[in-house]
Amino acid sequence: MSTLNINPLIYRFVRYCLNRAYLEIDDSKLSADERYSLETILSIIRQAEDNWENINDVVKFISEELPKIYGEALERLPDKMVDDLFERVLNNCKELDEVKSDSKVLNAINNALESMKGIKKKFLEGSKTRIYEPSA
């Protein structure tokens, strides 16, 4: 496949949406274990890009995988930071012309944001045996 036919969002998701969001969050108060968990979460998202061949792969990732990764991140990291990171990733993407002009991608992002709210609600209602208690 020639690079002329590839939707720019396929490579901008990580380079613009994810990396920019990561630079904007404050991770200075994280412990070494938390830093490792954050790096693991970021790596999972970055590596997913290797399997994207078209925009439908990105939409599927945003719709199906990203909310799962968000849920995993809630189990490992302070919830306010997780919310901030994932919301910034998706909101950064919404700024891109490739997203603004593609209702399928925009809908996937908006649905992922809604899905994350449900995941967060279940997390907050969940077991008190987890490592992190949600921030008040």
Side-chain angles (χ1 to χ4, degrees), residues 19 32 40 47 62 72 93 125:
N19 290 346
T40 301
Q47 289 170 0
I62 291 169
E72 291 173 23
C93 283
E125 294 168 353

Side-chain angles (χ1 to χ4, degrees), residues 12 17 28 39 47 63 66 75 81 94-95 122 129 134:
R12 285 190 178 162
C17 305
S28 63
E39 286 301 322
Q47 289 170 0
S63 300
L66 197 62
E75 296 292 334
M81 177 202 232
K94 287 169 88 172
E95 295 175 4
K122 285 181 185 173
T129 60

Side-chain angles (χ1 to χ4, degrees), residues 38-110:
L38 177 60
E39 286 301 322
T40 301
I41 296 294
L42 294 171
S43 292
I44 290 168
I45 297 170
R46 288 177 179 134
Q47 289 170 0
E49 180 189 54
D50 296 341
N51 300 315
W52 299 342
E53 295 180 8
N54 57 50
I55 197 65
N56 291 330
D57 293 337
V58 180
V59 168
K60 184 176 180 182
F61 175 80
I62 291 169
S63 300
E64 297 174 14
E65 296 303 316
L66 197 62
K68 291 178 190 173
I69 296 167
Y70 169 79
E72 291 173 23
L74 285 174
E75 296 292 334
R76 300 179 186 188
L77 294 162
D79 62 312
K80 298 280 191 236
M81 177 202 232
V82 173
D83 290 343
D84 191 30
L85 175 65
F86 281 75
E87 287 172 14
R88 284 178 188 262
V89 167
L90 293 172
N91 286 326
N92 286 345
C93 283
K94 287 169 88 172
E95 295 175 4
L96 295 171
D97 289 336
E98 302 87 328
V99 172
K100 290 178 185 177
S101 64
D102 189 329
S103 62
K104 183 166 56 170
V105 177
L106 192 55
N107 287 337
I109 289 171
N110 288 330

